[in-house]
Amino acid sequence: MTRVVSGAVLIAIAVGVVWFAPSPVFFAVAEILLALAFVEYAQLAEAGGLPIPVVPAGVATIVASVGVAYAAEAALMAGLVMLAAVTLTMWRGERDALGRAAAAAFPMLYLGLPIGAMISLRSLRGREALFLLLLTVMVSDTAQYYSGRAFGRRLLAPVISPKKTVAGAVGGFVCGALILVFAGAWWLPGLAIAFRALLGVALVALGVAGDLFESMLKRSAGVKDSSTIIPGHGGVLDRIDALLFAAPVYYIVLKYA
């Protein structure tokens, strides 16, 4: 029951913010989510033996999201240079300098880029285009969960995720593609039906990869959830992991296709 109630509240908040919030409010909410996700990432990195300079890396990640959202490439470069300088001053002769530097810079790409892409999407293509992405991923996630529970026998990636099944993935592919095909007829009428179906399959595949990637980070760090901030659902990273892989590709397709 806790999971269902929390899920309903999350959906209501997501719909309200994406559909009704003015641009400054939407931007603020997106950056708050980014900050929370970054804190969880930093905790995973420390648990995995790669502590990072939290404040500089967090600032660089937020700067990266702003750079992507508003096409300010200089912000990305400034963030990378800043992190390199901070890592240089913090090194005390350990043998994990490369790992720490990579762990500090990675959230700029893993978190900052997709959040910035979603901010940019809402500005460039409207709330409908962004909501369609969220709806596709949410429906796919739900279909994977219930298809896996009902029909799942064969595990999809047993080393990484002991619960994700092939049947669940198939259910997610079918439902995600159908959502993009039919809802996209209203919200992305410029894309042919075959292209929308292909895009739906691609987004589900990217979402599954994003889910598995975050599961890999958690298993490597020896934790079950990225945090306990959302009752019954874990942390922010646990809720947006699929979007982190799907959003950049969706952004590229809608901007250039």
Side-chain angles (χ1 to χ4, degrees):
M1 179 59 70
T2 299
R3 180 183 177 88
V4 173
V5 173
S6 296
V9 172
L10 288 174
I11 292 173
I13 292 173
V15 172
V17 171
V18 171
W19 203 262
F20 298 108
S23 295
V25 174
F26 176 78
F27 175 81
V29 172
E31 294 302 321
I32 290 171
L33 284 177
L34 175 58
L36 293 173
F38 172 80
V39 170
E40 294 174 359
Y41 169 87
Q43 292 171 345
L44 290 177
E46 184 171 7
L50 290 172
I52 63 176
V54 175
V55 174
V59 171
T61 299
I62 291 174
V63 167
S65 73
V66 174
V68 174
Y70 299 105
E73 292 81 1
L76 297 174
M77 293 184 283
L80 285 171
V81 171
M82 179 183 70
L83 279 180
V86 170
T87 302
L88 182 65
T89 59
M90 293 181 63
W91 190 61
R92 297 293 182 268
E94 302 92 345
R95 297 182 61 84
D96 59 354
L98 180 59
R100 290 193 183 194
F106 183 61
M108 295 179 64
L109 299 176
Y110 180 47
L111 303 174
L113 189 153
I115 297 297
M118 286 188 279
I119 295 171
S120 180
L121 267 174
R122 191 175 189 261
S123 176
L124 293 175
R125 298 300 297 265
R127 60 189 182 182
E128 297 87 357
L130 178 56
F131 185 72
L132 181 57
L133 169 65
L134 299 181
L135 184 63
T136 300
V137 171
M138 287 190 296
V139 169
S140 171
D141 281 349
T142 303
Q144 289 177 56
Y145 177 76
Y146 287 106
S147 297
R149 290 192 64 178
F151 308 109
R153 298 295 182 272
R154 182 179 178 184
L155 295 180
L156 181 65
V159 175
I160 299 174
S161 177
K163 294 184 178 180
K164 192 169 288 295
T165 65
V166 173
V170 171
F173 276 109
V174 172
C175 294
L178 288 175
I179 284 292
L180 203 62
V181 165
F182 290 105
W186 285 276
W187 294 333
L188 290 179
L191 296 182
I193 185 170
F195 191 87
R196 293 200 304 270
L198 181 61
L199 180 59
V201 170
L203 293 180
V204 174
L206 289 163
V208 170
D211 191 344
L212 290 174
F213 184 85
E214 198 241 351
S215 293
M216 178 184 70
L217 296 182
K218 291 187 296 185
R219 290 184 71 84
S220 176
V223 299
K224 181 179 182 293
D225 296 316
S226 58
S227 77
T228 57
I229 192 172
I230 305 173
H233 289 266
V236 173
L237 269 179
D238 296 320
R239 290 296 86 210
I240 67 171
D241 50 8
L243 282 170
L244 295 177
F245 275 37
V249 173
Y250 185 71
Y251 166 80
I252 292 171
V253 169
L254 293 199
K255 186 172 183 179
Y256 299 107

